[in-house]
Amino acid sequence: MRGRLQQGDSLILFPEGTSNDGARVLPFRSAFLGVADAAAAVQPISVVYDRLGGLPACRRDRPHFAWYGDMDLGSHFWRLARQPGGRVTVLLHQPADPRAFRDRKALTQAVERAVAEGAADLRQNRTPVPLHPR
């Protein structure tokens, strides 16, 4: 992975290391950002399924979107595809320069904070505002 980053390629990582019910962002694992020092930037992204049937999604709607635990992917996807008016919002935060942080743990905390705050705003139907990882 480090070699690909040094060649200018991009990688997509999900630093939570697992999936959940979508009600919160799980703690990020700093080991997933162990190669970030070879990257030009780390792009934090918040992703929230925020509409169902054209209306704001609420906590009871999260199981329609979230795939976790021992759920069967095929039947879960089929149920999701049959739901009308679903929407996902993708919020791109300000990229973080890995060299601006003392180590990967500090970078991980900053990126996690931006993603979690952005996702919380989206789940609460607030206007999305890109955050700067600090």
Side-chain angles (χ1 to χ4, degrees):
M1 289 192 301
R2 185 179 306 281
R4 297 296 296 262
L5 288 170
Q6 289 170 336
Q7 293 173 16
D9 291 340
S10 297
L11 297 175
I12 297 174
L13 300 172
F14 297 90
E16 289 175 296
T18 188
S19 56
N20 69 16
D21 65 3
R24 67 205 169 291
V25 173
L26 297 177
F28 285 12
R29 300 169 190 260
S30 66
F32 282 89
L33 294 174
V35 297
D37 59 332
V42 172
Q43 175 67 67
I45 301 172
S46 298
V47 179
V48 172
Y49 291 88
D50 56 1
R51 298 270 179 204
L52 186 62
L55 299 172
C58 61
R59 184 176 292 276
R60 75 170 185 275
D61 297 324
R62 303 248 178 261
H64 292 292
F65 301 116
W67 176 67
Y68 59 98
D70 61 356
M71 291 179 169
D72 175 69
L73 181 59
S75 61
H76 174 72
F77 178 75
W78 181 246
R79 280 192 312 275
L80 178 60
R82 292 185 1 215
Q83 293 290 327
R87 182 182 82 180
V88 62
T89 299
V90 178
L91 177 58
L92 302 175
H93 299 288
Q94 297 296 319
D97 180 350
R99 290 161 293 283
F101 297 87
R102 70 180 177 279
D103 56 30
R104 74 169 194 231
K105 290 185 179 192
L107 172 63
T108 301
Q109 288 174 343
V111 170
E112 177 186 342
R113 189 176 318 110
V115 169
E117 289 177 13
D121 284 347
L122 292 172
R123 281 192 303 274
Q124 294 169 20
N125 296 299
R126 294 186 186 140
T127 302
V129 177
L131 303 171
H132 193 282
R134 299 176 201 272

